[in-house]
């Protein structure tokens, strides 16, 4: 459904409220939700992504800086930006959320499928029509497609894997054993006649 500016602002407000509650610190301590980035280089990538987003018209709604003190800590960040900005197609591997105003589901699917990554995607809707468009052949082109749930790790019990630049193949679930096999198709004819496809008929000539 198309909700307009009011719904967008409501969602952004709830996101900011949730981000303010995130505890940053030692991941071994109880209650910590956001630990440090792995390296100083990743911190620089975080900074560069934010700088690039601003240059491309982005507006920081929350965060946007490193966390005070020692370590590779950054503040999880929310940036409002145009869907046309090139940065939104780049995978930064840092806690940056881009929020964008989309006119309708068709535009959302087009944007979702335009990025080079294709691991996981989510749609939140109560409309069955939107649901089936999202998971159907003209919907999301990701390897994992969710409805009313984000990427949570729960899908690891199914066939886990991506498409496009995220890679091919699947692991876990019913597809996991296929990665260790060379599959083929075998046909055995036990009759004394030669069946032919595509309607070809040579009569009842014996083999």
């Amino acid at each position: 459904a198309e909700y307009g500016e009011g719904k967008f602002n409501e969602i952004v407000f709830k996101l900011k409220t949730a981000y303010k509650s995130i505890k940053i610190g030692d991941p071994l301590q109880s209650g910590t939700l956001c630990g440090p980035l792995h390296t100083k280089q990743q911190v620089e990538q975080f900074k560069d992504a934010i700088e690039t987003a601003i240059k491309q018209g982005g507006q920081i709604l929350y965060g946007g800086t490193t966390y005070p003190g020692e370590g590779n800590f950054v503040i999880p960040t929310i940036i409002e930006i145009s869907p046309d900005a090139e940065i939104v197609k780049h995978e930064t591997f840092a806690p940056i959320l881009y929020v964008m105003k989309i006119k309708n589901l068709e535009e959302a699917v087009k944007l979702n499928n335009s990025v080079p990554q294709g691991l996981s995607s989510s749609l939140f809707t109560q409309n069955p029509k939107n649901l089936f468009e999202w998971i159907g052949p003209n919907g999301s082109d990701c390897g994992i497609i969710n409805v009313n749930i984000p990427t949570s790790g729960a899908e690891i019990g199914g066939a886990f894997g991506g498409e496009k630049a995220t890679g091919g193949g699947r692991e876990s679930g019913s597809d996991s054993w296929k990665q260790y096999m060379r599959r083929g198709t075998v046909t055995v004819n036990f009759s004394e006649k030669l069946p032919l496809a595509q309607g070809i008929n040579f009569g009842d000539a014996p083999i």
Side-chain angles (χ1 to χ4, degrees):
E2 299 173 32
Y3 293 106
E5 189 82 17
K7 177 60 69 172
F8 177 85
N9 292 336
E10 178 186 341
I11 292 173
V12 168
F13 175 79
K14 290 180 177 180
L15 283 170
K16 291 169 66 175
T17 302
Y19 271 50
K20 290 176 183 178
S21 70
I22 294 175
K23 180 180 178 181
I24 302 172
D26 185 346
L28 297 180
Q29 292 183 352
S30 177
T32 299
L33 187 60
C34 183
L37 299 181
H38 286 186
T39 65
K40 292 292 184 184
Q41 182 181 4
Q42 282 191 294
V43 175
E44 293 304 314
Q45 289 176 348
F46 169 83
K47 293 178 181 178
D48 291 344
I50 292 174
E51 182 180 346
T52 300
I54 293 173
K55 289 180 179 178
Q56 295 180 5
Q59 178 185 1
I60 296 176
L61 303 181
Y62 183 80
T65 62
T66 56
Y67 194 72
E70 297 183 355
N72 302 325
F73 295 94
V74 300
I75 300 177
T77 299
I78 303 172
I79 300 177
E80 181 179 351
I81 197 167
S82 166
D84 298 324
E86 192 63 29
I87 188 65
V88 304
K89 299 181 180 181
H90 179 71
E91 194 167 12
T92 307
F93 291 102
I96 300 175
L97 174 67
Y98 299 113
V99 293
M100 294 160 276
K101 296 175 182 177
I102 306 296
K103 294 179 181 178
N104 50 46
L105 180 60
E106 181 181 358
E107 184 178 325
V109 170
K110 183 178 179 181
L111 176 63
N112 177 82
N113 295 352
S114 70
V115 302
Q117 302 83 19
L119 178 58
S120 180
S121 58
S122 299
L123 173 72
F124 287 80
T125 182
Q126 298 299 319
N127 186 327
K129 181 177 181 292
N130 290 344
L131 184 157
F132 286 108
E133 287 185 10
W134 177 247
I135 67 175
N138 296 319
S140 172
D141 63 359
C142 291
I144 299 171
I145 304 172
N146 298 316
V147 177
N148 294 337
I149 186 172
T151 299
S152 61
E155 60 274 269
I156 196 65
F160 186 91
E163 299 291 345
K164 301 184 291 187
T166 310
R170 297 292 182 270
E171 61 182 1
S172 300
S174 61
D175 279 6
S176 59
W177 56 268
K178 296 177 183 177
Q179 308 301 317
Y180 304 97
M181 298 185 64
R182 178 179 64 82
R183 290 173 286 163
T185 301
V186 178
T187 303
V188 179
N189 178 22
F190 287 101
S191 75
E192 296 181 355
K193 296 181 179 180
L194 181 63
L196 298 173
Q198 288 82 43
I200 300 175
N201 184 6
F202 291 109
D204 294 330
I207 295 177

